[in-house]
Amino acid sequence: MKKLSIYKVFIAYLVLVLSYFVYVNATGTRILGDDKEEFDPNEGRTGTSSGYRGSRYYHK
Amino acid sequence: MSGFDLTEKGKVPATALLNCAHCNNTVRLVTHAQAVNVGCLHCDSLLARQGNRWSRVKDQKSQVRVPTIPLGTKSLFKEIRYAVTGFIVYQETTAPYQWREYVLFSPIHGYAFLSEYDGHWTYFRFVADISLTRNNTHSLTYQEKDYKLFHKYSSQVVYAAGEFPWRLLDNRSHYTEFVAPPYMLTLEKSQDEICWMQGEYVTPEEIQEAFGVAEYMPERIGVGAAEPFATAFSYKKVMAAGGAAVGVLFLLQILFLIFIRPQVLTDQSFSVPIAPEQYGEVTLTALPGPTFTLSSLTGSSNLELELYAPVDDEWFELGVTLINIKTNKAYDFEVGTEYYSGYEGGEYWTEGSQKNSVTLSAMQDGEYTLIVQPYRGALSKVDQFRLWVRRDVPLWSNLWILLLFIAAAPAVQWFRNQSFEKSRWMNSNYSPYDS
């Protein structure tokens, strides 16, 4: 009975994963996140840097 | 069973009485006239019936073993009313391995056996629908299950107590075992008979409950020959459920690709005139970008900004501010391109691309405007760039990540199952894992 419960938990887990997939795709959410930095004029800037971040391409 | 009335079905008949030929103590016989060997529990003598007389054929005092299930125990096991009528300790003839067998007797269903080795229990019953000549094979199919050859050996009796319908000492039995956990098929050959038995793995807990064993049960060591791997959360069940989930995942991805198609919101080219010669990084004037409206059924969608710049052995970068006109919420990010090429060691090489993109996750619906701040290196030849803004681009990374989440449990079970099977086959001379 106990082992059967583990299987049911696994099935529930699969349903949860598939539901989450529907949610992220429907809302355009990228699980890995993105590189944008959000700034709300009423709350202030999220993250630690201000303005454009300073990374530049210096090659060769 | 002579004298047994079918109205008493479900009951084990009364016992017959026998006086031990050695110690004269009374021995109770459940199987009555079927018994041809009897092991006396009082003096540990093995008796044999010769005609109407019983005589002592072996003194077993030096080999006495105590059965886990006491002789005479009555039990309803596998929906059959059994009495435990015999206990035998066997040993392989060519190895020191010993195992124990309990003879179960039912007046309706006949004989069955419980075998215990290293704490692993198997319940055996005779089967008559397998060809008796099918023994020289490495696999066989029975009742839609594929059995693999597991072991071949001969046995000899070390100790016996109780009553037995076959001659224990006159015959040496040869066994061929096939396994398809939780089942096992055993072909037994002796001078007197040849028969197939089907075994089914039984947990010690089932034995304890069915036979009311309150005493210590032999500790399970290793993996039993017919021991199944996690019956309720088996590798096959997990693989089946995981496989179905993967199928649904891909189906959903296809549906999303069909019904939510990428849409270009803006496509704009910008000029950044070449300035007089400068040294170091060049910061250009910020440029106002396009304005676009984002709307979706769910209130949010992803945005992709793709940059093209005709870079050649140089870099170009944009600092971008995306502003929600209504809420004034601003989003800062960068997107840059770089492309280098050369000739080295007799080979041409390239690195980078003239295109690059960034994806913004779950952007709320609304009207947005862009401000772009271009950067380029000294002596850059880039005098223009192009920017696309798209919505609802397919996010393949979501698919791969959740595929990993789904595959994790089956993968773990697969490795556990492999390890389990290797442990099982370590006890076999026919292991498929031997190279």
Side-chain angles (χ1 to χ4, degrees), chain B residues 255-274:
Chain B
L255 291 175
F256 277 114
L257 289 174
I258 291 171
F259 292 107
I260 302 182
R261 290 178 173 276
Q263 185 182 340
V264 177
L265 297 174
T266 71
D267 172 5
Q268 188 171 337
S269 294
F270 298 81
S271 291
V272 277
I274 303 290

Side-chain angles (χ1 to χ4, degrees), chain A residues 26 34 37 39 45 53 57 59, chain B residues 298 315 330 332 334 338 361:
Chain A
D34 56 32
E37 204 172 82
F39 173 69
R45 190 176 296 274
R53 284 181 287 180
Y57 295 95
H59 279 285
Chain B
T298 55
W315 59 268
D332 295 337
E334 290 125 18
E338 55 177 336
S361 169

Side-chain angles (χ1 to χ4, degrees), chain B residues 36-330:
Chain B
V36 295
N37 272 156
V38 168
C40 177
L41 280 171
H42 302 286
C43 64
D44 296 310
S45 296
L46 186 63
L47 312 177
R49 193 179 65 196
Q50 290 158 340
N52 289 325
R53 296 187 58 193
W54 289 87
S55 57
R56 188 191 196 206
V57 291
K58 188 183 177 188
D59 179 7
Q60 304 183 114
K61 270 196 169 60
S62 62
Q63 298 290 347
V64 173
R65 304 286 198 284
V66 179
T68 303
I69 307 172
L71 288 178
T73 302
K74 292 170 184 173
S75 165
L76 184 64
F77 182 64
K78 300 288 181 184
E79 299 181 349
I80 297 174
R81 180 76 58 187
Y82 282 119
V84 179
T85 58
F87 169 66
I88 316 169
V89 178
Y90 284 107
Q91 180 171 322
E92 278 194 37
T93 52
T94 57
Y97 304 125
Q98 290 190 355
W99 69 99
R100 289 141 293 280
E101 268 190 21
Y102 297 82
V103 181
L104 308 180
F105 174 71
S106 158
I108 303 294
H109 299 274
Y111 289 94
F113 304 90
L114 274 176
S115 174
E116 181 270 310
Y117 175 65
D118 272 354
H120 298 280
W121 296 79
T122 311
Y123 167 62
F124 284 99
R125 294 190 69 188
F126 292 103
V127 288
D129 52 348
I130 307 177
S131 166
L132 293 173
T133 59
R134 291 194 64 184
N135 59 333
N136 197 19
T137 175
H138 276 72
S139 64
L140 61 87
T141 301
Y142 178 66
Q143 293 180 339
E144 298 179 353
K145 291 193 184 308
D146 295 323
Y147 289 79
K148 291 178 185 166
L149 177 62
F150 189 79
H151 202 17
K152 285 183 180 180
Y153 57 96
S154 298
S155 71
Q156 60 192 25
V157 174
V158 174
Y159 173 78
E163 51 199 285
F164 307 94
W166 71 96
R167 291 180 295 150
L168 292 174
L169 301 182
D170 298 349
N171 291 309
R172 182 163 288 184
S173 293
H174 304 278
Y175 299 91
T176 307
E177 288 179 347
F178 297 83
V179 293
Y183 300 105
M184 171 183 268
L185 283 174
T186 300
L187 177 69
E188 182 181 351
K189 278 182 178 177
S190 66
Q191 215 172 6
D192 285 348
E193 64 175 347
I194 176 169
C195 62
W196 280 100
M197 285 184 287
Q198 186 181 36
E200 181 182 359
Y201 189 83
V202 186
T203 62
E205 293 77 20
E206 284 178 86
I207 297 292
Q208 266 188 305
E209 189 180 336
F211 292 90
V213 180
E215 299 293 317
Y216 162 83
M217 294 287 282
E219 186 186 353
R220 275 198 280 193
I221 299 169
V223 175
E227 185 180 359
F229 171 71
T231 48
F233 198 57
S234 72
Y235 157 64
K236 284 183 181 174
K237 280 178 85 172
V238 173
M239 283 298 281
V246 168
V248 173
L249 187 75
F250 277 97
L251 181 67
L252 287 170
Q253 178 74 354
I254 290 168
L255 291 175
F256 277 114
L257 289 174
I258 291 171
F259 292 107
I260 302 182
R261 290 178 173 276
Q263 185 182 340
V264 177
L265 297 174
T266 71
D267 172 5
Q268 188 171 337
S269 294
F270 298 81
S271 291
V272 277
I274 303 290
E277 191 169 300
Q278 295 177 41
Y279 295 94
E281 183 182 324
V282 178
T283 304
L284 301 166
T285 309
L287 303 169
T291 298
F292 58 87
T293 302
L294 188 61
S295 69
S296 63
L297 286 173
T298 55
S300 70
S301 54
N302 65 58
L303 279 182
E304 181 192 72
L305 277 85
E306 187 178 25
L307 167 69
Y308 163 79
V311 287
D312 187 11
D313 282 332
E314 60 185 321
W315 59 268
F316 182 80
E317 188 185 7
L318 285 182
V320 183
T321 299
L322 180 65
I323 302 167
N324 186 316
I325 293 173
K326 190 176 177 184
T327 63
N328 282 333
K329 198 177 271 186

